[in-house]
Amino acid sequence: MDIINHPKPHHALVEKPLCTNVSDCKKVIDIQLTTYATIAVDNWNRFNCNTGGTLVEKCCHSFDLMRLFIGANPVRVMASGSMDLNHKDEVYDGRVPDIIDNAYVIVEFDNGCRGMLDLCMFAEGSKNEQEISVVGDIGKGEALVPESIVRWGTRAEGKNGVQTLLAEDKRRKYDGLHHGSSYLEHLQFLSAVRARGEQAPAVGLHDGLISVAIGVAAQLSIQKGRSVMIEEVLHEQLVQFTKS
């Protein structure tokens, strides 16, 4: 908020999440700023009270991708998760971290589509950090990160018709952070700044709000042991998490 309220003209970029709860997201949107930024330190992401929970802090971009692919809005969220391995032997100011390190999250959308997140924060023994797949009535597409492999095929052609592409973006000179995506993110941001209001950011404030709302709903679903409607979360001013 200090950055947003700075008296001099400025542009700023915020990394995920937009905020750690729905109420703060709404405050930012009310100011109607196009883009903005935030920084946090000191092991802040070890505690739900600081982050909104792992499914907000780590996974909101995954939920945003679901909305992008599906082209619809979330309606209901069901989740199961726990803290089984990571950070259990750490102590900060007498407190043991309480963030979950694994979860399954099912998100239902208003057009009948369904998305699922499979999260594991101790799966370092994997070739790919992320495996993204989209399946529809025509066929299936999948992307592997950081291998940068994209595959797609149709139901009609079956497995013998699956095609593979090595996805490369010539604007990247080296992988850098997040396998090159952080560099592309900044290129898009710079383009929006230079457009002087004529070009919207690739991801806007409303996108940030909804992705956080899905994460909050998922955390609440785990805590309460039930499904959570998105409207239920959007109308909450603040969701408080109890210690596990």
Side-chain angles (χ1 to χ4, degrees):
M1 298 303 287
D2 290 341
I3 294 172
I4 290 173
N5 292 320
H6 196 281
K8 291 187 177 181
H10 62 282
H11 298 275
L13 173 69
V14 68
E15 267 293 355
K16 67 173 178 68
L18 170 58
C19 298
T20 59
N21 60 67
V22 169
S23 178
D24 286 345
C25 287
K26 289 180 177 179
K27 291 177 183 177
V28 175
I29 290 176
D30 286 342
I31 296 178
Q32 296 183 350
L33 191 71
T34 304
T35 49
Y36 40 85
T38 186
I39 299 175
V41 293
D42 295 334
N43 298 299
W44 68 283
N45 62 355
R46 296 293 195 264
F47 299 95
N48 287 325
C49 62
N50 296 332
T51 68
T54 302
L55 297 174
V56 172
E57 189 257 324
K58 288 290 185 186
C59 304
C60 57
H61 60 73
S62 297
F63 300 135
D64 190 51
L65 275 178
M66 290 182 187
R67 286 186 66 236
L68 177 65
F69 292 154
I70 294 172
N73 286 312
V75 176
R76 184 168 65 140
V77 178
M78 294 161 280
S80 172
S82 62
M83 180 180 184
D84 290 325
L85 186 63
N86 291 349
H87 313 303
K88 297 178 74 172
D89 58 350
E90 299 175 10
V91 179
Y92 302 96
D93 295 327
R95 297 188 300 157
V96 176
D98 61 357
I99 56 171
I100 65 173
D101 58 16
N102 65 97
Y104 292 114
V105 182
I106 298 173
V107 185
E108 295 180 346
F109 290 83
D110 58 12
N111 65 352
C113 291
R114 186 178 298 106
M116 192 191 83
L117 171 73
D118 175 358
L119 171 73
C120 183
M121 300 299 294
F122 46 87
E124 290 85 355
S126 303
K127 189 167 187 177
N128 286 295
E129 177 187 307
Q130 300 173 46
E131 299 176 359
I132 304 169
S133 65
V134 181
V135 182
D137 57 339
I138 296 176
K140 175 182 178 180
E142 61 181 355
L144 307 177
V145 181
E147 282 189 290
S148 295
I149 291 175
V150 177
R151 296 191 185 97
W152 71 95
T154 65
R155 296 178 64 195
E157 294 178 316
K159 65 180 182 180
N160 294 327
V162 174
Q163 301 182 58
T164 301
L165 170 71
L166 182 61
E168 293 182 319
D169 193 313
K170 294 183 178 179
R171 293 175 297 174
R172 287 184 347 187
K173 295 181 174 57
Y174 60 94
D175 281 349
L177 296 175
H178 299 103
H179 315 295
S181 61
S182 290
Y183 176 70
L184 299 180
E185 174 188 46
H186 282 77
L187 285 183
Q188 292 174 337
F189 175 65
L190 180 60
S191 177
V193 170
R194 287 174 170 168
R196 298 181 180 274
E198 298 298 320
Q199 175 184 328
V203 179
L205 293 177
H206 182 70
D207 300 315
L209 167 65
I210 300 302
S211 64
V212 167
I214 296 174
V216 170
Q219 292 281 157
L220 190 59
S221 176
I222 293 172
Q223 183 186 45
K224 300 294 185 181
R226 61 173 175 83
S227 62
V228 175
M229 304 300 292
I230 290 295
E231 283 298 314
E232 177 183 346
V233 169
L234 288 176
H235 291 148
E236 281 287 330
Q237 291 303 304
L238 182 63
V239 176
Q240 296 287 347
F241 294 99
T242 60
K243 289 185 178 180
S244 57

